[in-house]
Amino acid sequence: MKNATIILALLGILLSGGYSKSSVYTGLMANDIYDIEVSKLEFLNEYKGSADNWAANLISLQKIGEDNHKRQLVFKYIGDDTKPVGEIKYSYDTTAGSGRGTTPANKNAEDVYFVGYIISNGAIPLADSSVSFRIEWNGQTEEFDLKVR
């Protein structure tokens, strides 16, 4: 009976995502992008990646009949150390160009940073490529790749 309780408890944790690597991406989605009907999209590419302290999500999409495409970057602090303070610097490189910027450290519980949309009619990142992401905070640096998921 005791073993059955332990097994059920572990199963509940696993099913809820408690030990899942994908749970680091919780909160890294923009609802307005996911509310767009698939039939209205020319393409939607989502690149995700994580390391010890950060997880990031870059989405590139274009609606059918529109000249411009939209890119969105969201990243999240997932580390166990002191939360970011002061200014956070980030940069990314894609097959279609790069971006960089700074943002003040949040004081919210989720530690999610949405840095806005980039609207462009230029080159589009290739769907099967990866995105190099770099972030600097509290005197530390972390680099990792985002891949299509």
Side-chain angles (χ1 to χ4, degrees):
M1 183 66 163
K2 186 176 181 181
N3 286 341
T5 304
I6 292 171
I7 291 171
L8 287 174
L10 288 173
L11 185 58
I13 290 170
L14 290 173
L15 291 175
S16 70
Y19 282 95
S20 170
K21 181 70 172 166
S22 66
S23 65
V24 299
Y25 302 113
T26 301
L28 291 180
M29 298 176 221
N31 293 335
D32 61 332
I33 286 179
Y34 289 97
D35 288 342
I36 300 171
E37 291 180 38
V38 173
S39 64
K40 295 184 179 184
L41 290 174
E42 186 75 34
F43 68 86
L44 185 145
N45 299 325
E46 184 172 19
Y47 306 85
K48 289 183 178 182
S50 66
D52 292 337
N53 295 291
W54 293 91
N57 185 4
L58 180 90
I59 296 173
S60 180
L61 69 85
Q62 184 171 356
K63 290 182 182 178
I64 294 172
E66 291 190 2
D67 294 331
N68 295 325
H69 60 277
K70 183 192 270 191
R71 236 185 274 165
Q72 167 211 286
L73 174 66
V74 181
F75 48 89
K76 173 182 170 183
Y77 183 73
I78 58 171
D80 294 329
D81 295 333
T82 305
K83 291 186 177 200
V85 295
E87 191 173 75
I88 298 169
K89 294 180 184 179
Y90 62 89
S91 63
Y92 64 91
D93 292 307
T94 74
T95 56
S98 61
R100 65 186 72 251
T102 60
T103 188
N106 286 345
K107 300 211 187 282
N108 66 30
E110 293 84 29
D111 291 314
V112 174
Y113 300 86
F114 170 70
V115 295
Y117 293 107
I118 300 158
I119 308 293
S120 173
N121 62 4
I124 299 166
L126 298 174
D128 60 352
S129 65
S130 64
V131 175
S132 298
F133 183 74
R134 177 184 170 97
I135 191 157
E136 298 175 35
W137 80 105
N138 298 358
Q140 299 178 61
T141 301
E142 197 162 74
E143 297 181 45
F144 52 96
D145 288 335
L146 313 181
K147 302 203 183 277
V148 174
R149 307 269 179 189

